[in-house]
């Protein structure tokens, strides 16, 4: 069995020794049995008649090569470059040179190195609080091994943490200022490792009650201010509407003083012309009748009552 990390080159050895009786043509054949066992053995590369054929298996096209330039020397090993998880399976090397025949099987395992490591604190960095240190790799084949270290100050991990030093999560209760510092977590598997750093700085607890009370008071003041603004706006609109309505009523119902004066003067002027044309004998009856018919309102609003010349 051979274990290799994803993306690396897997070397699959296959060496042979020919006997004097092996006089036939040399044929070398590599086959793969996929790990899912759903497909039959498939040829991936072939050497026959002093020629190499490697265009059999599409998933490995251009990624499988013989390591030796002279296969007759007894080395039929191959390299599988840029290993993918789909390449895992059982590989078989067959060598034939009549009457000799030999074969060898190799189980190839593809693993993923730990990568994309992320360390973070789950909880509050306040003295007396509970929190968790967590490490999360983005990818990595199991099993994974973890190791926490403190890099600053005394470089000694707190005693209460020792039981969880090899875990991806460290649970801490009742934090103290001694826990402040820089920490590292290293994760490993059989093909690689990754590391992340984390800085902790524990501070005294904040006055949460005061913060909550301040937030409530601030909210109430904001609501009161908004209500006052709305009230003032509505009051101003009502006053403007009332002034418009009063002005409109005055314009429609009450004529202007100038128009009333001109009306009275024109009315009295017409009477002057009528009186001048009448005889003295008719004047008495006319004056009584016509002056009694004058509108009282217009008459009272006239600045001066008209004076007639004395009758002869």
């Amino acid at each position: 069995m051979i274990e290799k990390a994803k993306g690396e080159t897997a070397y699959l050895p296959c060496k042979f020794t020919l006997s004097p009786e092996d006089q036939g043509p040399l044929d070398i054949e590599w086959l793969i049995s996929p790990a899912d066992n759903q497909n039959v053995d498939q040829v991936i590369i072939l050497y026959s008649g002093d020629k190499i054929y490697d265009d059999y298996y599409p998933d490995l096209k251009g990624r499988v090569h013989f390591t030796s330039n002279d296969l007759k020397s007894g080395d039929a090993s191959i390299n599988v470059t840029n290993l993918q998880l789909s390449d895992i399976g059982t590989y078989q090397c067959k060598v034939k040179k009549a009457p000799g025949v030999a074969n060898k099987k190799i189980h190839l395992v593809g693993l993923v190195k730990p990568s994309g490591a992320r360390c973070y604190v789950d909880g509050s960095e306040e003295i007396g609080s509970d929190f968790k240190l967590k490490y999360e790799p983005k990818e990595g084949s199991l099993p994974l091994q973890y190791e926490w270290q403190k890099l600053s100050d005394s470089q000694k991990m707190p005693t209460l943490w020792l039981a969880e030093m090899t875990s991806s999560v460290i649970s801490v209760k009742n934090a103290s200022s001694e826990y402040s510092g820089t920490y590292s977590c290293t994760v490993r598997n059989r093909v690689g490792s990754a590391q992340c750093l984390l800085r902790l700085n524990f501070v005294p607890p904040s006055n949460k009650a005061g913060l909550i009370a301040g937030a409530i008071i601030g909210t109430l003041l904001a609501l009161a201010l908004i209500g006052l603004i709305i009230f003032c706006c509505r009051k101003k609109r009502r006053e403007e509407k009332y002034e418009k309505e009063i002005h409109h009523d005055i314009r429609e119902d009450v004529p202007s003083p100038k128009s009333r004066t001109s009306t009275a003067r024109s009315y009295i002027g017409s009477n002057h012309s009528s009186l001048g044309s009448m005889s003295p004998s008719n004047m008495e009856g006319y004056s009584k009748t016509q002056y009694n018919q004058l509108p009282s309102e217009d008459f009272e609003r006239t600045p001066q009552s008209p004076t007639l010349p004395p009758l002869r």
Side-chain angles (χ1 to χ4, degrees):
M1 185 177 68
I2 295 177
E3 292 181 344
K4 282 293 180 179
K6 177 184 176 182
E8 293 185 347
T9 297
Y11 169 71
L12 307 182
C14 181
K15 296 184 179 182
F16 60 92
T17 302
L18 299 175
S19 65
E21 292 81 11
D22 299 333
Q23 298 298 322
L26 178 64
D27 293 330
I28 301 174
E29 184 181 52
W30 276 92
L31 303 94
I32 181 175
S33 299
D36 54 17
N37 294 323
Q38 295 180 358
N39 299 321
V40 296
D41 294 354
Q42 299 186 44
V43 177
I44 58 174
I45 193 168
L46 174 67
Y47 172 82
S48 180
D50 295 334
K51 290 184 178 181
I52 298 175
Y53 305 90
D54 58 1
D55 195 14
Y56 290 100
Y57 192 61
D59 291 348
L60 285 172
K61 184 178 181 180
R63 296 193 294 119
V64 58
H65 313 281
F66 285 108
T67 59
S68 175
N69 294 326
D70 184 12
L71 299 179
K72 295 179 180 179
S73 63
D75 188 359
S77 305
I78 61 172
N79 281 332
V80 179
T81 60
N82 190 21
L83 185 65
Q84 303 298 312
L85 297 182
S86 59
D87 300 338
I88 63 175
T90 301
Y91 291 74
Q92 184 175 4
C93 173
K94 291 183 176 181
V95 178
K96 294 185 293 182
K97 189 172 176 64
V101 177
N103 65 79
K104 179 182 182 180
K105 289 185 178 182
I106 300 173
H107 184 61
L108 177 62
V109 178
L111 301 177
V112 179
K113 292 180 180 180
S115 64
R118 184 173 76 96
C119 296
Y120 65 96
V121 179
D122 184 5
S124 174
E125 293 185 42
E126 293 183 352
I127 297 175
S129 64
D130 299 340
F131 66 94
K132 292 181 180 180
L133 298 181
K134 291 186 176 182
Y135 175 92
E136 290 183 355
K138 185 177 181 181
E139 58 181 4
S141 297
L142 301 176
L144 297 173
Q145 297 177 346
Y146 301 89
E147 181 182 1
W148 290 88
Q149 291 180 333
K150 188 175 183 181
L151 305 180
S152 59
D153 300 334
S154 62
Q155 297 186 354
K156 291 183 180 181
M157 294 291 290
T159 305
L160 298 176
W161 297 14
L162 297 179
E164 298 178 313
M165 290 293 296
T166 57
S167 172
S168 61
V169 179
I170 296 180
S171 299
V172 182
K173 295 184 179 297
N174 193 20
S176 67
S177 59
E178 297 177 357
Y179 295 168
S180 298
T182 303
Y183 295 83
S184 72
C185 182
T186 304
V187 59
R188 297 183 178 88
N189 62 8
R190 293 194 295 269
V191 292
S193 63
Q195 186 183 64
C196 67
L197 299 178
L198 180 65
R199 173 68 185 175
L200 299 180
N201 184 25
F202 291 94
V203 296
S206 58
N207 186 2
K208 296 182 179 179
L211 293 176
I212 295 174
I216 293 174
I217 294 174
T219 303
L220 293 176
L221 290 176
L223 293 175
L225 180 60
I226 294 172
L228 181 60
I229 294 174
I230 295 174
F231 174 77
C232 293
C233 292
R234 296 189 64 177
K235 183 179 179 182
K236 185 176 180 181
R237 287 181 180 177
R238 286 198 302 267
E239 292 177 352
E240 292 177 351
K241 184 178 180 182
Y242 179 76
E243 290 177 359
K244 288 181 179 179
E245 291 178 351
I246 295 300
H247 184 66
H248 182 70
D249 293 342
I250 292 174
R251 279 185 145 184
E252 289 186 348
D253 299 339
V254 182
S256 62
K258 183 178 180 181
S259 64
R260 292 197 299 269
T261 305
S262 61
T263 303
R265 288 180 177 176
S266 63
Y267 187 79
I268 296 171
S270 64
N271 287 334
H272 263 290
S273 61
S274 301
L275 291 172
S277 63
M278 295 185 70
S279 62
S281 60
N282 296 332
M283 191 66 185
E284 182 179 358
Y286 181 82
S287 61
K288 291 181 180 179
T289 305
Q290 295 297 326
Y291 272 74
N292 291 335
Q293 293 178 358
L294 282 174
S296 60
E297 181 182 358
D298 292 341
F299 186 74
E300 290 174 357
R301 292 175 181 268
T302 305
Q304 293 179 356
S305 59
T307 56
L308 299 178
L311 296 178
R312 295 182 182 178

